[in-house]
Amino acid sequence: MERKIPKLNGLKTFTSCLAFYLAALGTGCHEKEEAHRESTPQETGSLSYQRQTFYDINRIQKIEIWMSDWNKLATQQPKGGRCNFEFNGEHFDTFSAPLVKVNGQEYKDVALKKSSFCGSLSDSKPNLKVNFGKFNKLAKESALQNFGTGELILKNSVQDQSLLRQCLAAEIFKKAGFSEQYCNFIEVWANNQKIGLYVNLEPTDKAFFNRNFGDKLGNLYEVAGEELDTWALPRFRDRLDSFKDQEDTSLADMTRLVNVLKNDQSQDLASLDEVLDIEHFIKYWAMEMIIVHWDGLTNNINNSFIYFRPSDGKAMMLPRGMDQVLTDYVDPKNPSQYLHQKIYSMHSLASKLLARPVYAQKLKSTVDHYLATLWDERALLARIETLAAYPAAHVPEWSSEGEPRWSYDRLKKVVSNRKQDLAALWSLQFSP
């Protein structure tokens, strides 16, 4: 069974701070019940309840993989090259594990695939996608009944040795009114050898979208270097998940967005607003800047989703890959600038809106609103301290002065200084 985390000293401070934190973060959020509310007896047997319980942040799960090809899977290099964003198709082969155990429960013939790429590539601790139903439908049915999902997304967090940023960022996005993505931690073992502690991230599957958007769903496109341009359309097709009742791979929605973005040269961008929820995009843009999601959509055209909601056909953005947020590193593309001290405008949407004063001012006011309503440094630092109990109890290097502890200290520093950094940034952008 999964293990509860032992509580550390200092959590009385956390409790009082968290109460204030949650109250502050409630401003502007969806009017929906909290994920970890008390469940009714009728719900406890449902798949949604099982999923919610499995991804409870207060539990560390355990997965054991038994397969002769583990080393071959772990050391496989991505087809097309380590950081070749131009490559289309599957980067890694799918392997079959004769036996996988999750919290002691056995599953046979489980599909595993490495998903590490570029900066997250590791031969000793690979990112993993675990698919219980690809080779064995009964295994998937059992997984759904036991923990509410037929697929696991296991993130190695090698770019964040503290392992805290992904789950913390998911919480902050949720409190800002964005889609809720469950996240906790999981120990990964292979052939009776501990590989390490991973971030256990809920997949963006149909169940995720049903919970956040209702029964009627639209098309989802992953962004991994694709601009909104005609050259990217074949790549968007390769990265499309259609959740419509009747699968739609025509790219009509994405093609329309690409064409309107290119042709709308008006000051108010009225035509663009018919295919893109501009207000929602500005909120998303503001959140990427606040949490320093420098490897996301607006700064690096990466680690994000574009979702077309069926109610009005408009596009909206969702975050992914937030293991490098809240950093104060030098911009790799501009060594004279730091990632936390810039306005993100690399994506064509961001640059087009920033060139129009009304939208530039809207971005500033949105950032200011979020900072005033959900950014309480003391409460956030208390939350970081509490989350740190999980890796501290399971990562041997945590007790030393090595990378995990250093990454943790940098995280706290950036959170502490974020309001001041953004205030300085606006003074440069909006000075006379």
Side-chain angles (χ1 to χ4, degrees), residues 43-104:
E43 290 178 307
T44 55
S46 69
L47 299 186
S48 60
Y49 174 79
Q50 297 297 344
R51 178 178 286 216
Q52 175 186 325
T53 303
F54 181 69
Y55 288 103
D56 186 335
I57 191 64
N58 299 304
R59 303 168 187 257
I60 287 184
Q61 312 293 358
K62 182 178 181 180
I63 182 170
E64 301 168 83
I65 300 164
W66 301 88
M67 59 185 297
S68 59
D69 285 335
W70 169 256
N71 287 335
K72 186 176 180 181
L73 180 156
T75 59
Q76 185 181 14
Q77 299 304 297
K79 299 172 184 178
R82 181 185 182 110
C83 295
N84 183 3
F85 287 92
E86 302 300 321
F87 179 80
N88 280 334
E90 297 292 338
H91 288 282
F92 296 99
D93 297 323
T94 299
F95 294 80
S96 177
L99 176 64
V100 168
K101 295 182 181 180
V102 178
N103 299 328

Side-chain angles (χ1 to χ4, degrees), residues 89-244:
E90 297 292 338
H91 288 282
F92 296 99
D93 297 323
T94 299
F95 294 80
S96 177
L99 176 64
V100 168
K101 295 182 181 180
V102 178
N103 299 328
Q105 182 70 40
E106 294 187 355
Y107 304 88
K108 302 292 181 65
D109 300 321
V110 176
L112 276 87
K113 185 167 65 173
K114 185 175 181 177
S115 63
S116 305
F117 187 66
C118 208
S120 67
L121 193 67
S122 173
D123 293 346
S124 59
K125 190 185 179 186
N127 280 334
L128 295 170
K129 289 185 177 180
V130 185
N131 188 325
F132 291 87
K134 186 176 181 66
F135 303 133
N136 185 349
K137 301 304 181 186
L138 291 178
K140 180 177 180 179
E141 292 177 8
S142 180
L144 287 170
Q145 292 298 321
N146 289 328
F147 46 85
T149 177
E151 180 182 8
L152 298 181
I153 307 297
L154 310 182
K155 310 297 288 186
N156 59 19
S157 198
V158 297
Q159 296 177 116
D160 171 27
Q161 292 294 309
S162 75
L163 286 94
L164 303 177
R165 286 172 168 83
Q166 174 66 64
C167 292
L168 178 67
E171 290 184 2
I172 295 173
F173 258 97
K174 175 196 170 187
K175 295 303 180 182
F178 290 81
S179 303
E180 174 187 31
Q181 187 170 24
Y182 297 149
C183 177
N184 64 0
F185 303 94
I186 186 167
E187 277 190 356
V188 176
W189 293 68
N191 300 326
N192 213 31
Q193 178 181 357
K194 184 177 178 179
I195 305 303
L197 187 68
Y198 282 60
V199 172
N200 183 29
L201 189 63
E202 180 188 15
T204 49
D205 56 5
K206 188 173 182 180
F208 165 85
F209 278 93
N210 283 148
R211 186 178 76 248
N212 285 288
F213 293 95
D215 294 333
K216 191 171 179 59
L217 302 178
N219 284 345
L220 179 74
Y221 298 87
E222 179 183 346
V223 178
E226 294 78 24
E227 252 292 7
L228 288 175
D229 207 337
T230 51
W231 64 263
L233 291 175
R235 291 164 60 88
F236 279 126
R237 177 177 280 111
D238 190 52
R239 294 184 168 95
L240 164 65
D241 283 316
S242 181
F243 296 116
K244 293 184 177 182

Side-chain angles (χ1 to χ4, degrees), residues 160-341:
D160 171 27
Q161 292 294 309
S162 75
L163 286 94
L164 303 177
R165 286 172 168 83
Q166 174 66 64
C167 292
L168 178 67
E171 290 184 2
I172 295 173
F173 258 97
K174 175 196 170 187
K175 295 303 180 182
F178 290 81
S179 303
E180 174 187 31
Q181 187 170 24
Y182 297 149
C183 177
N184 64 0
F185 303 94
I186 186 167
E187 277 190 356
V188 176
W189 293 68
N191 300 326
N192 213 31
Q193 178 181 357
K194 184 177 178 179
I195 305 303
L197 187 68
Y198 282 60
V199 172
N200 183 29
L201 189 63
E202 180 188 15
T204 49
D205 56 5
K206 188 173 182 180
F208 165 85
F209 278 93
N210 283 148
R211 186 178 76 248
N212 285 288
F213 293 95
D215 294 333
K216 191 171 179 59
L217 302 178
N219 284 345
L220 179 74
Y221 298 87
E222 179 183 346
V223 178
E226 294 78 24
E227 252 292 7
L228 288 175
D229 207 337
T230 51
W231 64 263
L233 291 175
R235 291 164 60 88
F236 279 126
R237 177 177 280 111
D238 190 52
R239 294 184 168 95
L240 164 65
D241 283 316
S242 181
F243 296 116
K244 293 184 177 182
D245 293 336
Q246 292 187 339
E247 187 180 40
D248 174 18
T249 60
S250 68
L251 267 71
D253 44 15
M254 181 61 74
T255 302
R256 185 183 178 207
L257 175 60
V258 166
N259 290 335
V260 171
L261 175 63
K262 183 181 299 185
N263 295 320
D264 189 352
Q265 302 301 325
S266 64
Q267 280 300 307
D268 61 358
L269 298 176
S271 296
L272 181 62
D273 194 44
E274 292 179 0
V275 295
L276 169 75
D277 188 335
I278 292 182
E279 182 176 354
H280 184 275
F281 172 76
I282 291 175
K283 291 178 180 178
Y284 179 83
W285 186 8
M287 286 302 299
E288 283 204 331
M289 287 183 54
I290 288 172
I291 68 166
V292 200
H293 190 17
W294 66 269
D295 197 22
L297 180 73
T298 56
N299 182 65
N300 208 34
I301 316 177
N302 194 26
N303 282 318
S304 51
F305 291 107
I306 300 176
Y307 176 67
F308 288 86
R309 60 193 185 211
S311 59
D312 57 9
K314 290 187 177 184
M316 57 186 296
M317 281 60 188
L318 288 77
R320 63 181 292 272
M322 295 188 287
D323 57 332
Q324 296 189 82
V325 303
L326 294 168
T327 58
D328 55 359
Y329 304 144
V330 172
D331 187 347
K333 297 181 180 179
N334 183 4
S336 66
Q337 194 169 34
Y338 289 86
L339 293 166
H340 65 297
Q341 295 176 334

Side-chain angles (χ1 to χ4, degrees), residues 310-432:
S311 59
D312 57 9
K314 290 187 177 184
M316 57 186 296
M317 281 60 188
L318 288 77
R320 63 181 292 272
M322 295 188 287
D323 57 332
Q324 296 189 82
V325 303
L326 294 168
T327 58
D328 55 359
Y329 304 144
V330 172
D331 187 347
K333 297 181 180 179
N334 183 4
S336 66
Q337 194 169 34
Y338 289 86
L339 293 166
H340 65 297
Q341 295 176 334
K342 59 182 295 190
I343 292 179
Y344 295 165
S345 58
M346 181 177 293
H347 193 278
S348 56
L349 274 174
S351 61
K352 195 158 192 169
L353 268 65
L354 194 63
R356 289 157 171 80
V358 63
Y359 290 118
Q361 186 61 49
K362 180 67 174 177
L363 172 65
K364 179 184 184 302
S365 62
T366 303
V367 170
D368 290 343
H369 169 74
Y370 280 139
L371 290 177
T373 57
L374 64 77
W375 196 265
D376 178 74
E377 293 90 347
R378 187 175 63 173
L380 281 167
L381 292 172
R383 183 59 175 152
I384 292 168
E385 179 185 345
T386 300
L387 288 176
Y390 310 157
H394 290 263
V395 178
E397 297 82 4
W398 188 267
S399 59
S400 69
E401 295 300 319
E403 176 68 21
R405 188 75 189 191
W406 180 87
S407 181
Y408 165 74
D409 290 338
R410 302 306 291 178
L411 172 61
K412 292 193 296 181
K413 178 183 177 182
V414 175
V415 167
S416 298
N417 297 334
R418 197 69 194 113
K419 279 186 178 179
Q420 300 93 303
D421 289 338
L422 285 166
L425 181 65
W426 294 133
S427 67
L428 292 175
Q429 174 69 22
F430 292 96
S431 59

